[in-house]
Structure formats: C-alpha cells, structure tokens
Amino acid sequence: MLDIIKILPSEVSNKIAAGEVVQRPSSALKELIENSIDANSTKIQIIIKDAGKNLIQVIDNGKGMSKNDMHLSFIKHATSKINKIEDIYSISSMGFRGEALAAIASVSMLEMESITDNQNGHFIEINGGKLLREKVSNIQEGTSIKIKNIFYNIPARRNFLKSNFVELRHILDVFHRLAISHPEIEFSFINNDEEIFYLKGESLKKRIVSIFGEKVRENLIPINESTQIADISGFVLKPEFSKKSRSNQFVFVNKRFIKSQFINHSIFASYNGLLKDGYYPGYFLFIDIDPTKIDVNVHPNKIEIKFDDDQNLYSIINSSVKHCLGIYQVSPVLDFDKDPSMDISYDQVNSQPRIPAIEINSEFNPFEVFNDERVNNVSYNYLAPNSKLNFEDDNNQNLKIFQILNKFIVSTNKSSLIIINQNLAHQRILYESFLKSIFENSANSQKLVFPIELSLTKKQLLLYNKIIDEFKSIGFDIIVRNELMLIESIPFGIEKNNVEEVIENILNEEFNTSNDFSASDFFAKRLSKITSIKTGQKLNLDEQEYIVNNLFSCKEPNLSPDNKQIFITLNKNDIEKKFNG
Ligand code: ADP
Ligand code: MG
C-alpha cells in the first residue's frame, strides 16, 4: 500500500484550529482586545458593523509591532509571550498560545496596521491566511486590526452564525467582561456608526456603574480579603439585587474572566437564607492567585481553569463573601455612596402627602372579574375572553372542579377526567391574549399616578429598542431618557408591584433563535411566563374555573407556549384498563 499520511498544509490546519479558537465574531473580538491589553494599551477603540459579521476592528495605543513581527504574528504558534515550556505555567498575560491571529487570519479578510518605536508604520492585508499586499502606513501609534467578512471562506460556519441581535449580545458580553476587568483602560465602542459606550479610565466601582447603570451603585458591597492562597476583592451585590438569571455573575482570576461552577456554588452558599427561591446573587469577584497554582491551559478559550487547591479556595471564597454580607447587614451604610434619591428634604418630611389626582384601582385582581361589580363594565381583553368548555355535554353548571397538590386542577366531563397543569394553562391563556393585544393593538392600560422609574443597562436598552412596539401594544406607556425608563401606564392585569420584575426579566432574557424568532412571540412568551400563576399557588374556585374556561377557549389548549403538554385526560377506557390490568 502507498503512503497515505500527509502533513496538512498550514492553511488547512489553521482553519481547523480556527474552529476551536474562533467560534463566532465575539471570540475574535475577545482575542483582539486581549492582545491590545497585553500590548499595554491605555486606550482601546472597538468598531463593529453588522454584529461583527462584516467588520470587527480594534484600535489601540499599545506598544505596536515591527514589520517583521506583523508578518510573524499571523503564523501559527507565533507569540512574543512565551519562550520555553515552563513559561506557560507562570503566564500572566491574556494570550500565550500564539494561535489566535493565525486562526482569525485564516478565516477572514484581515488588515493590520501597526507602528513601533523608531520605525515607519506598516500595513498588511491577509486573505484566508495568505498575504495579499503590504505598504507603508501613516498610522501614528499602536495597532489597528480589522477583521472583515469573518468565515467568508467557510460558508458552513458563516451560515451557522445567529441573528445580528444574538451575535451582538455575545459581543457585548465579551466587551463587558474585558471592560470590567480593566477599568483603568479607556474604551470606546462603536456599533454601526453609533458610539454606544465611552468609558474613560476609572475605578472598578465607577466602571461597574457605567456599564450596569446608576441603580447598581447602592447595591455594591465591597469585598476584600487577603489569604495565603489567594486574594479576593471586588464587589458582591446585596441580596435584594439578586436576579432570576445568573447574568450578573462575574468571576475573574488574575484579571481573566472565567466560568467556574464551584466558585459560583461557594458564593451561592454564602447567601444562604438571604435569597428568594429561584434567585441568584450577583457579583464581580476578583481572585488573585499565584499563576503557578492554576492551569489556564485546559480550555482553548481559556474560560475554564483548574485550581490546584480548589477545596481551600472554596472555603476562602465562601467565608469572605459571608463576612462582607455580615458587615453589610450590621451596618448597611458602611462604605457605600449614598443614594441621593433616598434623601428627603426637611420641607417634604413636614408637608402633607400629595393627594393623587387620578384614582387607580391598585387592588385590581384579574380573578375578581367574576364576582366584583366594580370591574364588570370594563372589557378585559385578555383576562376574561368569552368562553365555553369544549366538552361533549353542556351541563357545565354542575362541573366539578378542584385543585390538587397546589399544582393541578382536576375537572370532569361526561366521560373523562381532565387533569390540568395550572401554571402551563395560565401561560397559554395569557400568551394568546398578549399576542392578540399585540396584533390588534387593543390592550387596556391603567395610568400610574406616580410613574415607575427604572434605570437600564445598555444591553437592556438595546433589547428594549427592539421590542418597543410590543410593549406599547399591550398597554405599557414608557418614556426612555438617558438610560432611565419612566413607566407611566401599565397593562391591566399586571400588578404595579410586579412591574419592575416583569420588565427586568424581559429585558434580561436571551432571544432564543433556535425557535422561530419573532419579537412579538418572544415578548408574549416571556410575559406570560412571568405573570402566570405558579405551581404551588392555592387557587379558589373562581380562579380554578377561570383557568378551565379560558384554557378551552384558546386556539391551542393542548400545549403551553413552550410546547409542553398542558393537560391529560383519562377516559372510561383508560380508567378501566387501570383496574383490569
Ligand atoms: P498570543 O497573544 O497568544 O501571543 P496572538 O496570535 O494573539 O498570540 O498574537 C500573536 C502576537 O502578535 C502576540 O504575541 C503579539 O506579539 C503580537 N500582537 C498581536 N496583537 C497585538 C497588538 N494589538 N499590539 C501589539 N502586538 C500584538
Ligand atoms: Mg493573543
């Protein structure tokens, strides 16, 4: 047999490596920014077009590269950061494998301009890993790298990219992580010609506030603990600021963002007893540890790392977080900037409370529709559609309904027993009515006497802008000014006290693009999930009837918005089978 093994040409092996290092535009951006940080830049500008699909550019004022180094930089295993194998165990820079630029260059059209001490600036252009042209450049400082048409030569991968919206969210995640771990660096971020972030070099606390909005300020509890194994610093968020998602959890080891379940668990355990069920604490935790005590080399994206001494680290983190939470509980004002909005002037304290000009029904409860005269004249579009059970007999008056396990509603018709999951059923009812309101623009809303004020992060604002129309059409009246959201009217059926949670929840969710993507659908699904009655809730008879009646007047009573089965039926045959085996 002939020899069949051959060494892959470098373009091919680089393309394969690219699959590991560069999964999507955000991973390419991460590599570029990390290189700029390693080059000691104090200013980094990021320019993105079409969620990075057409352009990712990073311009820095770092130490730059010589013409020769520029040529070497896009060759695999070209790195200025390690010389010998031991170096990779004590590495403190962000990159060190020397494969990022090579990988990126092999799957994109790349332009690089750089200047370093006492040399002319230089420009090179590389397509699919091949040098296309080069010339002198008049760049004044640092390095600028443009990645155009990422994956242009791997159509399968390009097609695999998600919507611009989703890709931009990944990009913002990467940007947030790097901006938080390097608050001393000035960042500017331009998305489709609009500067959406300008962050001057600042303290960590200010950086967190610049990114997550003013509201986070009063919730930051500083943490500072120095031990033989590691130093812990940063901020944890007050338990009141916990979320139903883990989106506010940031852990950095030696300034590198990492994901670690055991660290998350150790912090979660410190909050024991302080969190509502299903809520997760937020934190910006920096762990400084001797680089020889960790292995950052286990994951190509270096997002997971191994610790030599994870058991001790677990206890150190756990007790540090407990400690700072403890201090906060004893003396809540400890070291936090005071929230000016909490200050009430002397005049106000002594004055009579203002009488609201508009009367609202703050006691509004959708389930009272059936027995409350006051609200019977109002038409509740999505709360009480006309309904008739779709059962064989129409002897509904005597329908027996009861609840079991605070989870299911049991009902019967002539020949079957029906067991309905109350939460899923209510989701379906709300989902269809929200969709209806969105499409018909027909919701009823109630004006709030005192508008609700929410401060938004850039990310939330971005999502809000996508679904403004949906918010309007179901009855929200919202003004956004300087990242501050003023909610002036809310839909009937949503309690005022829940509005903040509802909005935060919607604006923190990822769009799920694997399902058919539509903003209205996303919105209606989210909203119905959040506002539906939950498992564990005891329902009175009216409420149970409301669910049963309205479920069966839905277009699709069988499945929840997430395609879960809402009810099961047991007919005579099913029951007899159970007896006869
Ligand atoms: P690594 O960062 O792992 O060394 P990369 O492929 O990311 O590998 O980069 C290769 C080399 O190119 C780096 O080691 C560095 O010397 C040089 N380089 C890349 N980007 C920059 C930059 N923005 N400024 C200065 N040098 C850079
Ligand atoms: Mg690098």
Side-chain angles (χ1 to χ4, degrees):
M1 192 173 151
L2 295 172
D3 298 339
I4 52 170
I5 296 180
K6 49 181 170 289
I7 308 281
L8 290 173
S10 66
E11 305 110 78
V12 180
S13 67
N14 280 343
K15 264 195 192 176
I16 296 171
E20 272 185 53
V21 186
V22 204
Q23 283 115 4
R24 54 184 357 132
S26 65
S27 21
L29 177 70
K30 171 172 177 278
E31 297 294 338
L32 293 191
I33 301 179
E34 288 184 347
N35 282 344
S36 297
I37 293 172
D38 283 345
N40 298 328
S41 310
T42 56
K43 273 188 200 173
I44 300 177
Q45 187 177 40
I46 296 145
I47 302 174
I48 300 293
K49 289 234 162 90
D50 306 311
K53 291 175 186 170
N54 292 331
L55 178 72
I56 303 163
Q57 181 175 14
V58 173
I59 305 169
D60 67 43
N61 67 348
K63 65 182 183 216
M65 274 180 272
S66 67
K67 182 173 163 183
N68 259 346
D69 279 357
M70 285 172 76
H71 280 260
L72 285 174
S73 69
F74 64 95
I75 293 172
K76 196 171 178 193
H77 303 308
T79 177
S80 55
K81 299 168 194 172
I82 55 173
N83 292 312
K84 49 186 191 307
I85 187 68
E86 292 79 44
D87 289 349
I88 73 163
Y89 298 106
S90 56
I91 195 83
S92 58
S93 69
M94 308 293 291
F96 57 85
R97 290 169 162 239
E99 58 188 7
L101 274 184
I104 295 167
S106 73
V107 296
S108 67
M109 299 172 174
L110 188 142
E111 288 173 21
M112 184 192 299
E113 278 178 86
S114 193
I115 184 166
T116 192
D117 304 337
N118 311 321
Q119 289 191 6
N120 287 328
H122 196 65
F123 168 96
I124 61 174
E125 192 177 344
I126 302 153
N127 271 11
K130 293 217 172 71
L131 185 65
L132 207 67
R133 67 193 175 105
E134 59 185 319
K135 59 181 185 185
V136 173
S137 146
N138 62 2
I139 184 170
Q140 296 303 306
E141 58 171 3
T143 304
S144 157
I145 298 182
K146 275 188 192 173
I147 303 172
K148 299 192 290 188
N149 292 327
I150 191 165
F151 302 132
Y152 80 100
N153 52 355
I154 317 183
R157 219 156 228 283
R158 192 159 169 101
N159 293 339
F160 178 76
L161 294 179
K162 302 268 162 122
S163 68
N164 281 4
F165 184 75
V166 171
E167 294 299 339
L168 188 60
R169 299 268 308 225
H170 285 290
I171 283 181
L172 287 172
D173 280 342
V174 159
F175 174 69
H176 284 172
R177 293 164 186 173
L178 287 162
I180 292 169
S181 52
H182 297 86
E184 72 288 353
I185 297 178
E186 175 180 324
F187 282 97
S188 141
F189 187 113
I190 297 173
N191 178 46
N192 290 338
D193 300 323
E194 186 196 350
E195 184 171 67
I196 61 171
F197 282 101
Y198 170 73
L199 307 169
K200 59 178 194 316
E202 54 199 347
S203 69
L204 172 63
K205 182 170 185 174
K206 288 207 172 118
R207 178 61 52 96
I208 294 172
V209 173
S210 306
I211 293 179
F212 292 92
E214 215 22 68
K215 201 178 140 199
V216 76
R217 184 193 297 278
E218 69 204 78
N219 285 290
L220 294 168
I221 307 173
I223 179 166
N224 242 315
E225 211 84 35
S226 183
T227 72
Q228 295 212 314
I229 293 180
D231 291 343
I232 317 281
S233 63
F235 295 91
V236 300
L237 290 168
K238 290 185 187 173
E240 300 91 280
F241 206 74
S242 57
K243 300 255 180 235
K244 280 191 174 157
S245 76
R246 298 176 182 273
S247 57
N248 279 341
Q249 302 187 337
F250 293 83
V251 177
F252 303 91
V253 172
N254 297 347
K255 294 203 132 200
R256 189 192 302 275
F257 176 84
I258 60 142
K259 285 192 173 159
S260 160
Q261 273 193 358
F262 93 85
I263 293 178
N264 287 341
H265 188 273
S266 126
I267 304 174
F268 187 74
S270 319
Y271 278 79
N272 189 13
L274 299 173
L275 298 171
K276 279 189 271 175
D277 257 10
Y279 280 73
Y280 298 99
Y283 37 83
F284 305 89
L285 201 77
F286 287 75
I287 300 168
D288 276 309
I289 192 163
D290 176 353
T292 60
K293 299 281 191 306
I294 54 176
D295 185 358
V296 288
N297 219 4
V298 289
H299 193 278
N301 282 328
K302 296 165 235 135
I303 210 167
E304 281 160 26
I305 66 177
K306 259 189 5 226
F307 297 89
D308 284 359
D309 195 358
D310 46 10
Q311 293 202 347
N312 275 322
L313 195 59
Y314 184 99
S315 343
I316 289 169
I317 294 173
N318 182 270
S319 61
S320 311
V321 175
K322 267 193 195 143
H323 183 205
C324 80
L325 287 172
I327 293 175
Y328 146 69
Q329 295 214 308
V330 180
S331 54
V333 280
L334 209 61
D335 137 334
F336 325 122
D337 291 354
K338 229 160 111 213
D339 175 13
S341 68
M342 297 295 283
D343 284 342
I344 302 176
S345 73
Y346 184 73
D347 280 344
Q348 278 171 299
V349 174
N350 286 317
S351 67
Q352 290 291 317
R354 250 194 319 147
I355 306 214
I358 308 167
E359 247 181 70
I360 51 160
N361 174 15
S362 60
E363 305 292 297
F364 176 77
N365 171 351
F367 298 120
E368 284 173 9
V369 169
F370 302 100
N371 51 17
D372 188 340
E373 294 279 340
R374 277 178 305 158
V375 290
N376 260 355
N377 303 337
V378 192
S379 87
Y380 293 101
N381 251 315
Y382 49 80
L383 290 165
N386 301 332
S387 52
K388 259 259 179 302
L389 272 181
N390 198 6
F391 291 173
E392 294 159 28
D393 66 335
D394 49 10
N395 188 15
N396 287 345
Q397 271 85 344
N398 299 327
L399 194 72
K400 292 268 185 302
I401 296 185
F402 56 93
Q403 187 190 25
I404 53 171
L405 302 169
N406 288 343
K407 179 171 184 182
F408 300 106
I409 301 168
V410 183
S411 179
T412 53
N413 66 11
K414 203 173 188 175
S415 61
S416 335
L417 188 71
I418 302 165
I419 304 173
I420 301 168
N421 179 315
Q422 65 189 41
N423 169 253
L424 297 180
H426 199 210
Q427 280 187 34
R428 165 55 63 183
I429 297 166
L430 293 171
Y431 171 69
E432 291 200 5
S433 43
F434 285 134
L435 272 185
K436 187 163 177 271
S437 307
I438 290 171
F439 289 120
E440 293 174 1
N441 225 329
S442 60
N444 289 306
S445 62
Q446 48 178 334
K447 192 151 181 67
L448 299 174
V449 182
F450 301 110
I452 300 173
E453 220 180 86
L454 287 179
S455 84
L456 297 183
T457 65
K458 282 265 162 41
K459 224 162 140 186
Q460 291 172 327
L461 200 62
L462 212 74
L463 180 48
Y464 172 70
N465 285 330
K466 291 264 165 189
I467 48 182
I468 282 183
D469 290 346
E470 283 74 15
F471 269 106
K472 276 217 181 79
S473 57
I474 70 147
F476 278 105
D477 204 348
I478 295 177
I479 305 174
V480 171
R481 222 179 281 126
N482 301 333
E483 291 163 40
L484 212 63
M485 184 183 249
L486 276 178
I487 302 151
E488 301 196 314
S489 304
I490 59 175
F492 270 122
I494 292 185
E495 281 179 45
K496 190 168 168 262
N497 294 341
N498 293 339
V499 169
E500 184 168 341
E501 191 194 338
V502 165
I503 291 193
E504 290 239 313
N505 244 299
I506 290 177
L507 296 184
N508 282 328
E509 280 298 332
E510 300 277 348
F511 272 99
N512 185 356
T513 47
S514 56
N515 300 328
D516 274 348
F517 167 75
S518 118
S520 311
D521 194 59
F522 163 81
F523 189 86
K525 265 190 194 149
R526 278 292 107 211
L527 205 56
S528 60
K529 206 167 218 170
I530 298 162
T531 52
S532 54
I533 53 172
K534 302 290 179 304
T535 295
Q537 209 166 317
K538 198 163 173 49
L539 305 178
N540 64 30
L541 195 61
D542 284 339
E543 294 166 342
Q544 294 169 30
E545 277 178 355
Y546 164 85
I547 294 287
V548 177
N549 289 337
N550 287 288
L551 175 65
F552 290 102
S553 61
C554 281
K555 286 197 185 114
E556 209 178 302
N558 297 316
L559 294 176
S560 75
D562 291 328
N563 287 327
K564 293 190 191 129
Q565 189 169 4
I566 295 177
F567 64 89
I568 54 167
T569 51
L570 291 174
N571 61 25
K572 189 161 161 271
N573 274 346
D574 299 327
I575 297 171
E576 285 193 340
K577 252 194 233 147
K578 296 252 172 231
F579 284 103
N580 303 329

